[in-house]
Amino acid sequence: MVPCGDSRICTNAWFRNWVHANYDKVLLTSTKCSRDSPPEFSGGRFIDFEPILLCGPKVLTYVGISVALGVTIFCVILIYYNRWWINYKLFLLKLCVIGYTEVIDDDEYKYDINIIFHDNDEEWVVNYLVPQLQDREAEVVLCVGDDDLPAGMLRLDAAAAAIDNSYKSVFIITNAAINNAWYMTKLRLALQHINRSQRDAILLIFLEDIEDEKTPYIIRLLMSVNRPYLRWSDDLRNRDFFWNELMKTVRKTAKIDVTLPI
């Protein structure tokens, strides 16, 4: 009897192959595998033993390594393409842990509300939003769009001055707005103002549904529990809630303890 399937058989596999090729000259047909051999070979004829079953390439190992490598590459690519979403979620987690402190802001501002919108939404703002705000608070001082920006200044400086001198900047969010470079520039100016003043001075109002994958990172960043936003609804039953929340939000501000990434 000879051992079949131990570590030595792979080194001496050539011997088994030579015996098989010369079975008419080498009389090992009655030689059997010893009891120390693996169960599938124990007691079997040595001439029938196939070293390739144990000594061939370790297919499962190679397949396992390939699958693990593929999954790793897939995860890296997935993380890269979703890095902004991950960063946003980490920011929200940090905000939940640190939180923010609500305060009463006694500073003097030139405008109570600065309304920022795309030209396509001017009719809704001028003919509906502004009259409703003035009806609910007659003495409210508004800066409505680019027409009310401070005169005698560069356009960018005028927009920044209006934001810095407004108690609250209200951004009207639509698909046309988020695809407009000038509108997004003013949103970044407002974010810079938040970082300088360390107070929450932005309110987002969605006039339209924006697909998640099309929503800019800077807007997703502001859409958290601690960054209030409102959605306009054509349903008359929701109008009172919208106006109540709007007036409540524009009358108060909050101290923030974090710097928002731009």
Side-chain angles (χ1 to χ4, degrees), residues 78 126 190 201:
L78 193 63
V126 173

Side-chain angles (χ1 to χ4, degrees), residues 68-81:
L69 184 60
V71 170
T72 301
I73 294 174
F74 174 78
C75 290
V76 170
I77 295 174
L78 193 63
I79 292 172
Y80 175 78
Y81 280 102

Side-chain angles (χ1 to χ4, degrees), residues 48-234:
D48 296 331
F49 169 61
E50 292 290 348
I52 194 171
L53 296 176
L54 291 177
C55 305
K58 295 179 171 40
V59 177
L60 291 180
T61 300
Y62 297 153
V63 170
I65 293 174
S66 300
V67 170
L69 184 60
V71 170
T72 301
I73 294 174
F74 174 78
C75 290
V76 170
I77 295 174
L78 193 63
I79 292 172
Y80 175 78
Y81 280 102
N82 290 278
R83 62 192 185 280
W84 296 118
W85 180 87
I86 295 172
N87 189 21
Y88 169 60
K89 292 300 182 182
L90 291 175
F91 167 74
L92 294 186
L93 178 61
K94 179 180 178 182
L95 207 58
C96 289
V97 174
I98 298 176
Y100 73 99
T101 304
E102 189 171 308
V103 297
I104 297 176
D105 192 341
D106 294 326
D107 292 344
E108 294 293 331
Y109 295 95
K110 182 177 180 180
Y111 308 105
D112 295 311
I113 302 174
N114 178 20
I115 306 175
I116 300 172
F117 54 91
H118 187 267
D119 291 343
N120 291 359
D121 309 311
E122 184 174 7
E123 182 178 355
W124 183 85
V125 171
V126 173
N127 296 333
Y128 190 74
L129 178 62
V130 171
Q132 289 289 338
L133 289 172
Q134 293 173 332
D135 285 346
R136 284 168 170 76
E137 197 165 321
E139 297 182 356
V140 65
V141 181
L142 303 175
C143 177
V144 183
D146 290 350
D147 292 341
D148 286 350
L149 292 179
M153 302 175 66
L154 294 176
R155 191 184 188 198
L156 185 63
D157 293 338
I163 290 171
D164 290 342
N165 288 284
S166 298
Y167 181 77
K168 209 75 159 183
S169 291
V170 175
F171 285 82
I172 309 303
I173 309 292
T174 59
N175 285 282
I178 64 174
N179 289 299
N180 180 264
W182 174 235
Y183 178 91
M184 295 303 297
T185 296
K186 288 186 281 188
L187 187 55
R188 291 186 179 90
L189 289 173
L191 206 57
Q192 291 175 3
H193 170 69
I194 286 180
N195 285 335
R196 288 194 304 271
S197 63
Q198 287 297 288
R199 71 180 190 91
D200 189 5
I202 293 179
L203 173 64
L204 306 179
I205 296 179
F206 286 79
L207 286 191
E208 301 174 347
D209 290 331
I210 311 294
E211 296 180 16
D212 290 342
E213 60 272 15
K214 294 182 179 180
T215 302
Y217 166 70
I218 191 173
I219 292 179
R220 297 200 307 268
L221 184 64
L222 294 165
M223 288 175 58
S224 68
V225 175
N226 293 330
R227 298 291 169 271
Y229 63 92
L230 298 174
R231 292 186 181 275
W232 173 253
S233 174
D234 292 328

Side-chain angles (χ1 to χ4, degrees), residues 4-23:
C4 301
D6 67 355
S7 58
R8 291 170 296 175
I9 199 63
C10 292
T11 304
N12 300 318
W14 65 270
F15 175 67
R16 154 52 184 80
N17 295 332
W18 180 82
V19 170
H20 190 271
N22 298 275
Y23 68 92

